[in-house]
Amino acid sequence: MSQQNLFVALRDAFPADLDAVAVETDNGLCYSWRDLDRASAMVANLLASLSIPPDASGAPPRVAVQVEKSVEAMILYLATLRAGFVFLPLNTAYQRAEIEYFIGNARPAVVVCTRGNFPWVSQIAFQAGTRHVFTLDDDRSGSLLERAAHCSDRQQPVVRQADDLAAILYTSGTTGRSKGAMLSHGNLLSNAAMLKEYWGWRTPEQGGDVLIHALPIFHVHGLFVAIHGALLNGSRMLWHGKFDPKKVIADLPRATVFMGVPTLYVRMLAEPALTRAQAAHMRLFISGSAPLLIETFNDWRARTGHTILERYGMSETIMLTSNPWQADARYGGQDERRGGTVGFPLPGVRLRVQGEDGRDLPAGEIGGIQVKGPNVFAGYWQMPEKTAEEFTSDGFFKTGDVGQQDARGYVTIVGRSKDLIISGGYNVYPAEIEGFLNELPGVAESAVVGVPHPDFGEVGVAVVIARPGARPDADALLAELKARLANFKIPKRCFVETELPRNTMGKVQKTLLRQRYQHLFVTA
Ligand code: MLC
Ligand code: AMP
């Protein structure tokens, strides 16, 4: 059997000089390539030593991880791949109810959490049948590393095939509970290998790229696009534990590539230190995960002289489209990065726009975006019906995004058929928030809509209808929500009203609510 473990491909790309710096952190630590190799071997050996029996699902053991960003957390990801286990990253903002659901649904064999959260996370995990709960903090402390310190620093990566499961990423849904998107070694590697070419990553022999890594590492953008990009190219990372616009700007003269969600660009533009001279050493600024406003695109070009490259992707597919890095005959020879578009379908990705009647639409017409390719996931974890609903009979995945492709091939996203708010690059599903709000005392019903916001792009606003005789307090409702849900999901404002606008079918007209509150945070 050939070896197609993603880790092996990443490891093969490490530079010849293993003592060179691979990661430099913003608190002064340096990790060599050898450090990444040895430490991931030790953690992989620890995972293997747990002798986890196969479970009924037939899938390899899952490792659910809710820890603060650290290089060791990345090492844990690499170790999970090496051991042939399945990585399941969880946003640090998730609260008890959310974690309970993910652990109950994925049945991980191993859970890794912060020491502070150990009491409640371990309780949930043990109740769900998890036998091993380790801790890991962002200061290199915790039981995971203590235990791994006793393991060998040599390890032969477990043989994995392209279709074997490598990671599960939970994404919420417009209805019902979150779904775990199952990504294989082949999905992840094919996408990373293609982006290495498409974005013109420079290998160390070609002068090398240096990536500023300032995103969280529990979603596609920071975990896969950024980390795989750097590792598969033998590129050094300047590792920022938390995004701070001043610190990123200070690092620009030492770096060549930066990836961010639009909010990061908006916050950097607010800094006078962001100048053309400061950005002169940079090769590429990439934006994605949420729509980049054309003003941000233009302001960035005017201020730095760089044209942001916008790309589009999702948890189920990793990267789907991208504006060009430079003219390349292999990819159509275009070199224009067009603001307001997400560029071309990436090599190997088939993209079509369909009307509601299921017919393919010609260039320029707006419809549902559907995709197919080696990067597209196999399905949702233990949800065959949901999976079937999201694929067409000829195997295209329905993204839920609405857009068009022009005659030159540029794709533009104009909206979403899924009821989703993207706030600072995080997805917030109104149905989930409404479900929690409707459970609160005094609430008869509620509607959550997204409205424009200068910093986060879009934020949630809740409209609540009181039960007869009740007088719920808007701020108290938000405080209640905060105790139950990840903070980025909390609506930024809440209004108690007497009725929700409805159409003749009785359906809440969210468009009208959006219009009502569209100038809450931005002026007309
Ligand atoms: C934080 N808050 C948010 C928020 N982030 N509210 C709405 N949306 C967000 N994204 C809350 C905080 O909890 C706080 O609430 C208040 O807003 C102010 O917080 P802050 O200090 O300004 O936030 P900060 O910690 O600086 O975080 C902002 C951020 C972060 C933009 C740096 O949200 C972030 O890292 N976003 C990146 C998300 C990302 O990586 N997405 C990729 C998904 S992958 P309070 O009540 O405590 O005051 C994907 C696929 C693809 O989509 O294509 O890439
Ligand atoms: P997630 O489920 O968190 O992976 O989010 C994926 C969603 O983010 C996509 O379906 C899009 O709606 C959105 N998205 C990602 N990149 C872009 C982009 N460049 N422009 C607009 N929306 C984007």
Side-chain angles (χ1 to χ4, degrees):
M1 258 197 312
S2 63
Q3 170 61 291
Q4 295 183 54
N5 188 319
L6 165 65
F7 175 79
V8 173
L10 299 175
R11 173 65 185 82
D12 284 351
F14 283 13
D17 179 8
L18 287 179
D19 292 316
V21 174
V23 189
E24 199 181 318
T25 70
D26 54 354
N27 54 0
L29 297 174
C30 283
Y31 297 73
S32 67
W33 295 93
R34 195 185 305 282
D35 292 334
L36 298 187
D37 188 28
R38 290 178 51 193
S40 60
M42 292 163 89
V43 179
N45 282 326
L46 169 63
L47 294 175
S49 75
L50 303 174
S51 305
I52 295 164
D55 70 9
S57 73
R62 277 78 63 206
V63 181
V65 179
Q66 192 195 30
V67 297
E68 296 298 335
K69 181 176 178 181
S70 69
V71 178
E72 287 68 27
M74 175 180 76
I75 288 170
L76 172 58
Y77 166 57
L78 298 177
T80 305
L81 295 174
R82 280 185 96 138
F85 288 18
V86 177
F87 195 68
L88 197 169
L90 294 167
N91 195 317
T92 44
Y94 292 147
Q95 307 272 5
R96 175 180 278 273
E98 292 153 314
I99 295 295
E100 226 158 31
Y101 172 75
F102 297 127
I103 290 184
N105 188 253
R107 304 264 157 202
V110 180
V111 169
V112 184
C113 64
T114 61
R115 283 190 296 177
N117 287 349
F118 181 81
W120 63 270
V121 173
S122 62
Q123 189 193 30
I124 291 172
F126 293 139
Q127 268 166 12
T130 300
R131 300 256 305 276
H132 309 278
V133 182
F134 295 103
T135 56
L136 175 64
D137 276 344
D138 55 3
D139 59 358
R140 288 166 292 147
S141 63
S143 61
L144 183 84
L145 300 180
E146 281 163 21
R147 288 279 301 275
H150 301 286
C151 297
S152 163
D153 62 2
R154 285 167 176 263
Q155 189 259 4
Q156 196 59 37
V158 169
V159 174
R160 283 289 173 250
Q161 300 304 297
D163 287 343
D164 286 334
L165 190 55
I168 299 180
L169 263 64
Y170 274 87
T171 73
S172 297
T174 15
T175 54
R177 303 308 301 258
S178 292
K179 302 164 287 186
M182 298 192 287
L183 293 164
S184 67
H185 287 261
N187 292 147
L188 296 170
L189 180 55
S190 64
N191 209 240
M194 183 272 303
L195 289 174
K196 175 172 150 65
E197 297 294 320
Y198 199 80
W199 288 342
W201 281 87
R202 290 187 315 218
T203 60
E205 296 72 41
Q206 296 164 320
D209 268 316
V210 178
L211 172 77
I212 298 180
H213 194 304
L215 286 163
I217 57 169
F218 31 67
H219 294 300
V220 158
H221 201 159
L223 180 63
F224 299 146
V225 189
I227 290 179
H228 293 169
L231 294 185
L232 199 57
N233 195 55
S235 289
R236 183 152 48 99
M237 281 188 263
L238 304 180
W239 188 266
H240 292 226
K242 190 176 176 339
F243 171 70
D244 175 339
K246 290 189 172 59
K247 286 187 179 175
V248 171
I249 293 169
D251 261 350
L252 292 179
R254 305 195 300 136
T256 60
V257 181
F258 175 76
M259 295 184 193
V261 300
T263 300
L264 273 49
Y265 287 97
V266 169
R267 290 188 182 184
M268 284 160 74
L269 276 167
E271 297 292 331
L274 179 73
T275 60
R276 190 173 276 255
Q278 191 71 7
H281 189 251
M282 290 292 290
R283 181 175 76 80
L284 191 54
F285 288 97
I286 300 173
S287 174
S289 308
L292 181 73
L293 292 182
I294 192 73
E295 297 85 68
T296 313
F297 177 88
N298 289 336
D299 289 353
W300 192 269
R301 181 144 65 187
R303 183 86 80 83
T304 67
H306 286 277
T307 306
I308 295 175
L309 179 155
E310 184 171 4
R311 93 306 177 275
Y312 154 61
M314 55 195 304
S315 304
E316 289 92 335
T317 64
I318 331 162
M319 294 300 98
L320 287 167
T321 73
S322 172
N323 272 280
W325 165 57
Q326 64 169 25
D328 187 325
R330 287 173 302 173
Y331 310 130
Q334 304 267 4
D335 68 351
E336 191 195 351
R337 297 179 202 158
R338 292 181 67 184
T341 82
V342 292
F344 305 105
L346 286 162
V349 175
R350 285 167 64 193
L351 182 145
R352 70 187 184 196
V353 179
Q354 274 206 344
E356 283 186 5
D357 57 3
R359 280 188 307 120
D360 288 2
L361 296 176
E365 286 195 28
I366 293 172
I369 296 176
Q370 303 182 351
V371 292
K372 197 175 197 173
N375 52 314
V376 176
F377 76 137
Y380 296 110
W381 172 255
Q382 296 189 332
M383 289 187 182
E385 299 84 15
K386 286 258 183 260
T387 303
E389 275 170 28
E390 304 299 333
F391 281 88
T392 62
S393 55
D394 59 347
F396 277 76
F397 173 62
K398 301 180 216 167
T399 61
D401 292 306
V402 174
Q404 55 135 315
Q405 188 169 24
D406 71 12
R408 288 171 67 194
Y410 284 93
V411 176
T412 304
I413 297 172
V414 299
R416 300 165 205 133
S417 57
K418 48 195 175 190
D419 190 12
L420 162 70
I421 300 167
I422 302 185
S423 188
Y426 286 139
N427 288 6
V428 179
Y429 281 86
E432 183 184 17
I433 319 302
E434 290 158 5
F436 276 85
L437 269 172
N438 296 347
E439 294 293 309
L440 295 179
V443 176
E445 58 176 339
S446 61
V448 173
V449 293
V451 299
H453 188 273
D455 183 30
F456 292 124
E458 199 179 10
V459 293
V461 169
V463 179
V464 160
I465 308 301
R467 283 185 186 284
R471 297 186 61 186
D473 175 70
D475 290 340
L477 292 176
L478 290 182
E480 288 284 345
L481 273 190
K482 217 169 175 173
R484 292 168 168 78
L485 284 170
N487 54 17
F488 64 86
K489 296 181 187 172
I490 311 303
K492 298 289 179 217
R493 291 286 297 276
C494 177
F495 297 92
V496 179
E497 296 189 3
T498 48
E499 61 178 354
L500 293 173
R502 292 183 188 278
N503 64 16
T504 46
M505 310 291 285
K507 193 170 176 323
V508 176
Q509 290 181 293
K510 288 201 165 177
T511 315
L512 293 182
L513 288 177
R514 256 178 240 122
Q515 280 166 5
R516 190 179 298 167
Y517 293 111
Q518 64 180 328
H519 298 305
L520 206 51
F521 302 102
V522 293
T523 45

